[in-house]
Amino acid sequence: MGLLDNEEVLCEVTENHLNTGLRGIPVGTCRTSFVTPDEGVHYCGYPIRELVDVSPEDVIYLLFNKELPNAEQSAMFRENLASRASLPEGVEQVLSSLPKHGHPMDWLSIGIHTLGMYDTTGDWLEDALNLIARMPRLMGLIFRYREGRESDIPADDVAQSLVERFVNTLDLDGIDKAKMARVVSAYFVLHMDHGGGNLSTFTGKSIASGKATVYSAIAGAMNALSGPLHGRANQSCLEFVLKVGTSDEAEVERFVRNELSEGRPVFGFGHAVLSVEDPRATAQFELGKKICPDDENFKIITALRNVAPRVLSENKRIRNPNANVDIASGALLHHVGLKDPTYYTTFFGWARVAGIGAQIVDERVVMRSGRGVPIYRPKYFPEGQELRHVE
Ligand code: AMX
């Protein structure tokens, strides 16, 4: 595999690389996805813009099998997932005992651990697929129990698609279920994977390298994702949009300039790798134009998209002033009835279970001719000691 253009590839580790969070230090290969500065994330070679309208089930198949399924393979894979989908008894009892003020990401992590305690097979692929199949129901139950809506939960219909099962379990009053499914499906596909080195994926693979279970590894990955510098940025993004409160471009510009002068980030803009607008943001703007052009939050993010890149470009330190994936997802989720931003990172986590699960399977049973990547053990040096003097 060729190394990606425009990425700094380090050949020799020096003292300057220490205590930098392993930034840019090559540590492995990833079979599921990579990110390029001009096209963003690719899943198994497909730029994400080509997968936006593919079903979540087919994209999960792609991540595990490295090719998109034909119609027959797709139908068989859906049946396979359905056969694994029922939750073990006892999960709901655990959810009913959790503190309702706890953050939904903590609920998600405990929910995944609970699934693992009831039913771990020890086979990496089996456990990853079982977890993927059970996530929609778990996600819906997390909302229901945390919000005290545990009576009259609709029966689980495993014949439905992954997203429909979530929407049905959630069963919110007065919403357009088909529209919610459309937005959640797009969100799901766009967030499934993002290379091998992001914090949650790295954490999950690292835990799995010690041969902890898939459930422990992915619960740990969710804990990593819950931080405000990582997955929780999407919660902050909608909170930011709600704070902007106007789609008048002159006022939006004043707001953006004020945030910058107060030293606060302009959420939804900038990226560590991309140099253009994230295609995942572009795709969500296109979806928003179709389903909710007059939604007030959609108008605010459209105004931000018109204003913020120009203002941010004035600061030459900002490498990419364009919209990132988080700018639009909150506004779309809010529009279809998912109004509480504290849940948003759980959608991110739900999607990542597929990518992280596939990467764990690759590292455990495929890489190094099936022997798997050894237990992670990066090197640390005694403080003050020069690198070259230490074995
Ligand atoms: N608002 C204000 N300042 C910004 C900024 C923004 N949107 N984007 C970059 N900057 C600042 C950085 O904080 C950094 O400041 P410093 O020199 O004082 O440390 C400087 O510009 C250079 O940053 P960079 O090299 O262009 O980007 P980065 O890799 O350091 O950071 C990111 C990337 C996403 C964390 C940053 O753009 C940011 O904080 N954006 C706003 C928050 C946000 O939208 N987060 C969601 C990220 C979603 C994602 O990446 N998937």
Side-chain angles (χ1 to χ4, degrees):
M1 193 180 80
L3 293 166
L4 302 177
D5 291 342
N6 303 328
E7 284 205 345
E8 191 188 6
V9 176
L10 303 170
C11 298
E12 190 187 339
V13 177
T14 70
E15 266 121 281
N16 289 339
H17 299 120
L18 302 182
N19 301 324
T20 57
L22 283 170
R23 281 209 152 211
I25 297 179
V27 292
T29 54
C30 178
R31 301 180 73 233
T32 57
S33 65
F34 58 83
V35 186
T36 62
D38 52 343
E39 290 190 304
V41 69
H42 297 59
Y43 296 166
C44 303
Y46 291 93
I48 191 68
R49 64 167 192 282
E50 290 182 18
L51 298 170
V52 176
D53 297 321
V54 178
S55 72
E57 286 82 353
D58 285 0
V59 178
I60 293 169
Y61 183 100
L62 170 69
L63 292 170
F64 278 84
N65 297 285
K66 321 307 176 207
E67 61 180 15
L68 281 168
N70 60 31
E72 191 187 341
Q73 289 164 328
S74 173
M76 279 174 61
F77 186 58
R78 281 163 201 258
E79 275 174 34
N80 182 336
L81 289 176
S83 72
R84 307 164 178 277
S86 299
L87 261 57
E89 270 182 43
V91 172
E92 291 193 39
Q93 204 187 332
V94 172
L95 295 180
S96 71
S97 70
L98 298 181
K100 299 209 181 330
H101 64 267
H103 194 279
M105 282 303 282
D106 293 336
W107 280 62
L108 181 60
S109 172
I110 286 168
I112 290 171
H113 260 308
T114 306
L115 290 176
M117 280 188 271
Y118 278 112
D119 192 11
T120 296
T121 70
D123 179 288
W124 297 104
L125 179 59
E126 283 294 301
D127 283 337
L129 293 178
N130 285 344
L131 177 56
I132 287 166
R134 292 165 193 177
M135 281 299 293
R137 183 70 173 174
L138 176 65
M139 282 286 295
L141 292 176
I142 287 173
F143 277 74
R144 302 272 323 205
Y145 277 90
R146 190 170 173 276
E147 290 166 1
R149 295 197 301 122
E150 53 261 56
S151 60
D152 302 325
I153 298 176
D156 193 9
D157 178 1
V158 298
Q160 292 182 314
S161 74
L162 294 173
V163 169
E164 282 165 353
R165 273 176 65 217
F166 162 73
V167 173
N168 244 21
T169 305
L170 187 65
D171 198 26
L172 284 181
D173 285 340
I175 57 140
D176 178 340
K177 285 190 175 179
K179 206 187 223 187
M180 181 185 277
R182 192 170 172 194
V183 165
V184 174
S185 281
Y187 184 100
F188 199 6
V189 166
L190 296 175
H191 286 79
M192 275 186 200
D193 207 30
H194 205 254
N198 65 80
L199 180 66
S200 48
T201 305
F202 187 78
T203 301
K205 291 187 297 186
S206 169
I207 294 171
S209 77
K211 304 218 170 145
T213 66
V214 163
Y215 294 92
S216 295
I218 294 193
M222 295 301 116
N223 296 337
L225 191 68
S226 70
L229 294 186
H230 192 15
R232 212 196 292 179
N234 67 359
Q235 172 182 333
S236 312
C237 247
L238 185 71
E239 287 163 353
F240 177 81
V241 169
L242 296 174
K243 206 168 114 190
V244 176
T246 171
S247 56
D248 178 276
E249 292 195 6
E251 283 185 46
V252 170
E253 179 163 346
R254 265 195 297 282
F255 182 90
V256 167
R257 289 190 184 283
N258 187 56
E259 291 299 287
L260 290 171
S261 69
E262 298 285 330
R264 290 191 286 265
V266 178
F267 281 94
F269 294 86
H271 199 273
V273 179
L274 274 156
S275 55
V276 295
E277 179 172 281
D278 190 329
R280 298 173 300 171
T282 313
Q284 292 181 94
F285 273 113
E286 279 164 17
L287 180 58
K289 272 188 220 159
K290 285 182 202 145
I291 66 166
C292 58
D294 298 324
D295 178 279
E296 194 45 41
N297 293 324
F298 187 70
K299 288 204 273 189
I300 294 173
I301 61 169
T302 303
L304 276 166
R305 189 195 198 190
N306 291 339
V307 167
R310 177 169 46 78
V311 176
L312 291 170
S313 305
E314 292 168 12
N315 178 349
K316 298 299 168 214
R317 285 201 331 274
I318 299 179
R319 286 178 297 118
N320 179 3
N322 298 300
N324 64 45
V325 65
D326 289 328
I327 182 65
S329 52
L332 295 185
L333 292 172
H334 191 275
H335 175 76
V336 295
L338 298 159
K339 302 222 183 270
D340 181 352
T342 50
Y343 285 98
Y344 289 178
T345 315
T346 63
F347 291 105
F348 193 170
W350 174 18
R352 279 293 157 92
V353 168
I356 299 173
Q359 291 200 35
I360 287 174
V361 171
D362 285 344
E363 285 212 355
R364 301 284 33 97
V365 304
V366 179
M367 289 182 175
R368 299 207 311 158
S369 310
R371 283 177 296 142
V373 174
I375 185 168
Y376 283 26
R377 188 63 173 96
K379 191 169 183 63
Y380 280 75
F381 296 87
E383 195 175 33
Q385 191 133 27
E386 279 187 47
L387 201 56
R388 64 181 176 280
H389 293 151
V390 180
E391 280 293 302

